[in-house]
Amino acid sequence: MKRTRIKTILLSEKALDTVLIKGWVRTRRDSKAFSFIELNDGSCLNNIQVIADDLLKNYEQIKKLSTGSSVCVKGTMHESPGKGQKWEIHAIKIKIIQITPDDFPLQKKRHTDEFLRTISHLRPRTNKYGAAFRIRSKLSFAIHKYFHDLGFTYVHTPIITGSDCEGAGELFQVTTLDINNPPLSDEKSDYQKDFFGKQANLTVSGQLEGELFALALGDIYTFGPTFRSENSNTSRHAAEFWMVEPEMAFCNLDEDMDSAENFIKFLVEFAIKNCDQDLELFAKFVDKNLMNTLETIVSKKFIRLPYTEAVSILKQSGKKFNYDVFFGADLQTEHERFLAEKHFKQPVIIYDYPKTIKPFYMRVNDDEKTVAAMDVIVPRIGEIIGGSQREERLEFLTHRMAETGISKDDYWWYLDSRRYGSVEHSGFGLGFERLIMMVTGITNIRDVIPFPRTPGSIEF
RNA sequence: UCCCCAGUAGCUCAGUCGGCAGAGCAGGUGGCUGUUAACCACCGUGUCCGUGGUUCGAGUCCGCGCUGGGGAGCCA
């Protein structure tokens, strides 16, 4: 007999025939002549209540079922006379797969996120983390659905790269050389003897390769892991995280901002429609204001704010900031939070940044002072998307590379794309974990990724 | 990397002025009960993060270190 998922049972309109369910015991309560077992199999947030009668031949063993134990139950489905659930299972036979000893760290009470992080291998068995990771999965699917329905092509850009990609962050080196005894050339490691014949790193962004494919297939996106070895110790940074990077040919900054806004709105709406139960948990226990925030994101048009106007709003706010605001200064977290959380109280897209604070590939505007860059700032999370129209003019691009000290020789292939049929194009990057944080209200990035990698921490 | 805070039972935390180490939950035993964070009674639980110092005496005060958290920088 095939097992039925608990989700299927809980959602069914009428009682199914005899069912077989398998799962883990969340809690057990004994009554006079029977025992209530709350069983969860991860298919949904809710447990199913199993009634185990003392006539079952292994009832003495059943009474020893502790939180975390695994069982297989054959039983019949009945409307529950008790409060709190529609259906329950009257067990005909309970096969105990394994009884969990009492040192099982998860108890039927609330644990702190910090403690659960030390047992990342077990935390998906809790309500909150089960819900978070089901939402993560749903939103991954939503990303593919969004782009697929719009006719985008999914591109797998390389994980291992040979170029210090745009200096977007500190790099993890990939090597097969013996670090204790590397082959030397002029007293330095001889990378010609390394696996690829030159120094290699984990990718910090698939953008440059993504551009090459956009300039062939039109609209493309990447969705994969990204690695940065920055010594960042914050609730918003991880050394390994997932990023979505669409890239669109024949697309200018305005259209880029439109697609970023539509994209976020679609994802949030998708979560509201498809993660109702799991989302409810977060609205109830994690962030009481969550549904309001999400509704605002879906319904209100994002504010579009040129950088220079952002600067004057901040100057005129009369608020004292730790960092000075002036044209040419990068906006600090406190500035972004003020704009999104206090001033506008909704998502804001800031665009046309000074070129001095942005990378070489962003398109220089006619004023020659700013570039066609845009950041989407959302309340509580801060920057969730960073994007730009790309510099498609070869002379401007090579000029900017020289200015910012990027080697033309290393990027000959990137420059080729501006030499042969160059067209205007744009794209952006969305931090997937930050999206999950925004949608769930979870405040630490370590709690939205199954096994977080941060400085000094790579257990599991 | 910088600033701030914390580390005490399996978990969450209290511990006053430096003077015998505490509670709730979890666990065990018994009872009661179509229960649902079940309930009631009883029982056990310690490298007080490590290290050096001050002191008659340190969980408590001081130095150094480790780990965790919050904030900042860097960014997604």
Side-chain angles (χ1 to χ4, degrees), chain A residues 409-427:
Chain A
D409 295 343
D410 287 352
Y411 291 90
W412 62 273
W413 44 272
Y414 186 68
L415 290 167
D416 261 8
S417 68
R418 272 58 169 176
R419 210 170 269 137
Y420 308 124
S422 186
V423 298
E424 69 172 11
H425 62 289
S426 302

Side-chain angles (χ1 to χ4, degrees), chain A residues 5-17 19 21 36-39 46-51 76-90:
Chain A
R5 289 208 179 90
I6 287 169
K7 182 183 184 180
T8 309
I9 293 173
L10 292 175
L11 285 177
S12 69
E13 291 294 319
K14 54 181 203 280
L16 306 168
D17 290 337
V19 292
I21 54 177
F36 297 98
I37 302 166
E38 296 266 353
L39 205 62
N46 285 342
N47 309 320
I48 187 124
Q49 176 165 279
V50 174
I51 314 298
T76 52
M77 220 173 124
H78 300 268
E79 280 195 48
S80 176
K83 280 180 187 163
Q85 64 274 322
K86 184 178 177 193
W87 298 109
E88 63 185 26
I89 303 292
H90 292 189

